[in-house]
């Protein structure tokens, strides 16, 4: 079922962030939402997850959807290993499957099961956060500027992994980088 966003508005402290925004997000496709910082991209995702309520308007088509999300912040358990962070949202996986995903993300040189992610670089933490969302048993994947801070070579590898691992899912990619929409093969681009 497509997600139908119907004239949602949201303001914070008198500042209008979303003003009567409407869109249809096709099921099983990748939709990119492009806009500069402060234009309401993250607010839109927070409304879709139920973390925020719109001041007006409605969203239909979320019923029965399992949502996984990459937030702008990594939101990892820093004293847990990379494998443990993934297993928290994907208990259906084995440790070997988690290691395989982390290796696809280019995190093979660390002890994925014992070393706390606290010791990882910022880019490695980011990749663990992305891996965790990809591994979750969701059919709606929300990506809030997920590739920020990754060097070009790593970013390309991670985007390829995202494409493979999100095939058939409804994906909403929020970004201000048009090259990411092309690399993620967005079927639809919405400009806020």
């Amino acid at each position: 079922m497509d997600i139908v966003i119907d004239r949602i508005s949201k303001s914070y402290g008198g500042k209008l962030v979303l003003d009567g925004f409407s869109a249809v997000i096709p099921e099983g496709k990748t939709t990119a939402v492009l806009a500069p910082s402060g234009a309401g991209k993250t607010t839109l995702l927070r409304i879709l997850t139920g973390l925020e309520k719109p001041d007006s308007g409605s969203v239909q088509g979320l019923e029965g959807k399992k949502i996984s999300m990459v937030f702008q912040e990594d939101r990892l358990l820093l004293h847990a290993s990379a494998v443990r962070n993934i297993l928290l949202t994907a208990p259906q996986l084995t440790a070997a499957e988690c290691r395989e995903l982390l290796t696809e993300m280019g995190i093979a040189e660390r002890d994925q099961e014992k070393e706390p992610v606290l010791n990882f670089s910022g880019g490695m933490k980011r990749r663990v956060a992305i891996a965790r969302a990809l591994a979750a048993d969701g059919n709606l994947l929300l990506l809030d500027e997920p590739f920020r801070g990754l060097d070009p070579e790593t970013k390309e590898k991670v985007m390829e992994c995202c494409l493979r691992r999100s095939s058939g899912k409804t994906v909403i990619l929020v970004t201000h980088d048009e090259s990411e929409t092309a690399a993620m093969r967005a079927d639809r681009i919405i400009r806020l």
Side-chain angles (χ1 to χ4, degrees), residues 25 40-42 48 50-51 62 77 91-92 101 107 112-113 119 129 132 138 158 176 178 181 183 189-190:
I25 309 295
K41 300 182 305 288
T42 297
L48 293 175
L51 294 171
L62 291 172
L77 293 177
Q92 78 280 5
L101 173 55
I107 306 177
Q112 300 167 345
E113 286 190 72
N119 298 339
R132 182 182 56 193
V158 170
H176 58 270
E178 293 211 29
T181 66
I189 298 174
I190 297 170

Side-chain angles (χ1 to χ4, degrees), residues 78-115:
L78 295 176
H79 295 287
S81 70
V83 167
R84 183 74 187 127
N85 268 281
I86 292 172
L87 288 173
L88 286 170
T89 61
Q92 78 280 5
L93 296 183
T94 64
E97 290 169 320
C98 294
R99 288 192 309 272
E100 180 183 317
L101 173 55
L102 289 164
T103 299
E104 278 183 56
M105 291 288 210
I107 306 177
E109 70 277 10
R110 303 306 274 251
D111 186 338
Q112 300 167 345
E113 286 190 72
K114 293 184 181 157
E115 186 176 0

Side-chain angles (χ1 to χ4, degrees), residues 74 76 82 102 105-112 115 117 119-131 149-150 154:
D74 297 327
L76 299 171
L102 289 164
M105 291 288 210
I107 306 177
E109 70 277 10
R110 303 306 274 251
D111 186 338
Q112 300 167 345
E115 186 176 0
V117 295
N119 298 339
F120 287 18
S121 70
M124 292 176 88
K125 288 176 187 164
R126 192 72 187 144
R127 287 179 275 164
V128 172
I130 295 167
L150 299 179
T154 301

Side-chain angles (χ1 to χ4, degrees), residues 65-82:
K65 293 223 184 328
K66 291 182 183 177
I67 300 171
S68 61
M69 182 168 177
V70 176
F71 293 87
Q72 284 188 18
E73 319 80 36
D74 297 327
R75 299 188 181 195
L76 299 171
L77 293 177
L78 295 176
H79 295 287
S81 70

Side-chain angles (χ1 to χ4, degrees), residues 29-33 163 173 180-189:
K29 304 286 185 186
T30 297
T31 300
V33 179
L163 281 170
L173 168 67
E180 291 178 4
T181 66
M184 286 295 292
R185 298 186 194 131
D187 299 286
R188 180 154 195 238
I189 298 174

Side-chain angles (χ1 to χ4, degrees), residues 136-154:
D137 190 23
N139 51 15
L140 173 57
L141 177 62
L142 306 178
L143 303 170
D144 194 356
E145 298 192 29
F147 312 116
R148 188 180 62 204
L150 299 179
D151 66 74
E153 184 180 318
T154 301

Side-chain angles (χ1 to χ4, degrees), residues 148-168:
R148 188 180 62 204
L150 299 179
D151 66 74
E153 184 180 318
T154 301
K155 185 178 182 179
E156 184 178 333
K157 177 184 280 193
V158 170
M159 285 191 286
E160 287 171 7
C161 181
C162 285
L163 281 170
R164 280 191 307 276
R165 297 273 182 157
S166 66
S167 178

